[in-house]
Amino acid sequence: MRTQVGIIGAGPAGLLLSHLLHLRGIDSVVLEARSRDYVERRVRAGVLEHPTAELLREVGLGARMDLEGMVHHGISLRFDGADHRIGFDELLGRSITVYGQQEVVKDLIAARLEAGGELLFEVSEVAVHGLTSDRPAITFTDAEGRPRELACAVIAGCDGFHGVSRQAIPETALTVHEHEYPFAWLGILAEAPPVREELIYTHHERGFALYSMRSPELTRLYLQVDPDEEIESWPDDRIWTELHARLALGGESGLHEGPLREKGISTMRSFVASPLRYGRLFLAGDAAHIVPPTGAKGMNLAVGDVHLLARALERLLLHNESDLVESYSDTALRRVWRAEHFSWFMTSMLHRFPGNDPFQRQLQLAQLRYTAESTAAATSLAENYVGLPFS
């Protein structure tokens, strides 16, 4: 097998990169360890920044998003027993769109298959070779158990935090920055209609809670829990009781309860590996960086990465000019670190830290009050939440 760009990973980063390259006349093959059904059902992020939604429309992927996605014009910070709304439209004239990552993946897969794109699911034993040569290759075993080799000009590692791409880079060639948070999120997807049209970020003495949604029929809710908690310790009744307690205003939460389609506990970390390039291997998305979900940046950072990378690979493969691939890592990391800081800021401001230090709690409340009362502070939060330009 031979192609111009071998892409490892069929998440939003890998699929969108393949689509953007196709629009530029560049061939690619996407390899994915999971089945198509799995990646289309895997529920992840749901907030699309303004630049992400605009890019999807620009490249012909916005029709279903505009039909089914929910446009949000602000969020609420809930503390001191009240909601404090940050209005994106009033402050910036821009908005976000709630549209599940799995729906973006479905749209991308459909678009690639319609265009004749090659997507190979359920591959295994993936390994990369010749990264510092001009003839890199990917070996793998296909879904039928046959050993295969894919020769390519460039390899894009879009295979997530635990994928093979970053692990193939020598430790001496990579700098890693990592921060572990002393709490986790318990998330549920409930068959219950949302009771609000916008997200609510709650700072509560019992711990953080987030109210969000995925559709007019599905509510997405999160609770801060200890990182060593087991999901078996959280039966449905306990989850709803805690959600009602943390989201209550005037003694009532207003939440609709419903059957849980899924529930799970996710640890929280900040992680950045640099540079995002080693020879002919380029990293994008979660393969290169992780953010805590408080800032809603994960999928949007992946989109920003491949937006840059597609332009850089076009310049390299069609015009034999290497300036954009040389600057890809530095350019992408500027946006990544801004998002890392914003996600850390939101996380630190809203969560209850171990020990519940009263001094730290007063600092958090002071920041929340300033953000809610100051137009400048609210605008800064809105600008980062809605999304900074890709360029």
Side-chain angles (χ1 to χ4, degrees), residues 139-268:
T139 56
F140 62 97
T141 299
D142 68 17
E144 286 73 42
R146 297 172 297 183
R148 307 286 294 273
E149 179 173 323
L150 176 63
C152 39
V154 166
I155 297 173
C158 305
D159 49 346
F161 184 76
H162 298 289
V164 302
S165 298
R166 190 183 69 254
Q167 298 176 34
I169 301 175
E171 289 185 6
T172 55
L174 208 60
T175 298
V176 169
H177 300 274
E178 188 167 15
H179 177 70
E180 297 281 347
Y181 294 87
F183 34 73
W185 274 17
L186 188 160
I188 65 168
L189 186 66
E191 295 180 14
V195 295
R196 289 280 297 265
E197 295 181 351
E198 297 176 349
L199 279 67
I200 303 171
Y201 288 80
T202 301
H203 176 79
H204 193 275
E205 61 183 9
R206 299 173 67 96
F208 169 79
L210 173 61
Y211 166 86
S212 64
M213 65 292 294
R214 287 294 177 269
S215 76
E217 296 81 30
L218 296 175
T219 305
R220 187 72 159 160
L221 298 148
Y222 297 94
L223 288 169
Q224 174 188 347
V225 297
D226 292 337
D228 57 354
E229 287 276 5
E230 300 289 340
I231 194 63
E232 292 76 19
S233 301
W234 285 86
D236 295 2
D237 287 347
R238 183 186 178 191
I239 293 173
W240 285 114
T241 298
E242 195 64 26
L243 284 167
H244 285 303
R246 297 190 196 182
L247 289 166
L249 285 181
E252 296 291 337
S253 71
L255 291 176
H256 296 311
E257 295 188 16
L260 303 190
R261 283 195 182 181
E262 63 176 56
K263 62 180 178 180
I265 295 177
S266 303
T267 57
M268 298 178 68

Side-chain angles (χ1 to χ4, degrees), residues 268-290:
M268 298 178 68
R269 64 158 57 91
S270 296
F271 176 91
V272 180
S274 63
L276 306 188
R277 177 193 180 191
Y278 179 73
R280 287 295 181 107
L281 171 65
F282 297 84
L283 302 179
D286 286 358
H289 41 74
I290 297 288

Side-chain angles (χ1 to χ4, degrees), residues 39-105:
V39 299
E40 289 188 336
R41 291 176 180 269
R42 178 173 48 191
V43 177
R44 291 291 187 270
V47 172
L48 304 185
E49 293 178 347
H50 180 79
T52 296
E54 288 292 286
L55 177 64
L56 293 178
R57 294 184 185 101
E58 180 184 326
V59 299
L61 297 169
R64 197 163 70 92
M65 174 189 71
D66 286 334
L67 183 65
E68 300 178 13
M70 295 177 284
V71 177
H72 286 203
H73 303 285
I75 60 171
S76 285
L77 303 177
R78 182 169 289 184
F79 63 94
D80 283 345
D83 280 344
H84 306 266
R85 187 172 182 272
I86 308 295
F88 301 151
D89 277 356
E90 296 92 325
L91 295 167
L92 303 171
R94 298 194 297 275
S95 57
I96 60 168
T97 301
V98 173
Y99 187 62
Q101 175 176 309
Q102 73 275 13
E103 305 305 327
V104 175
V105 166

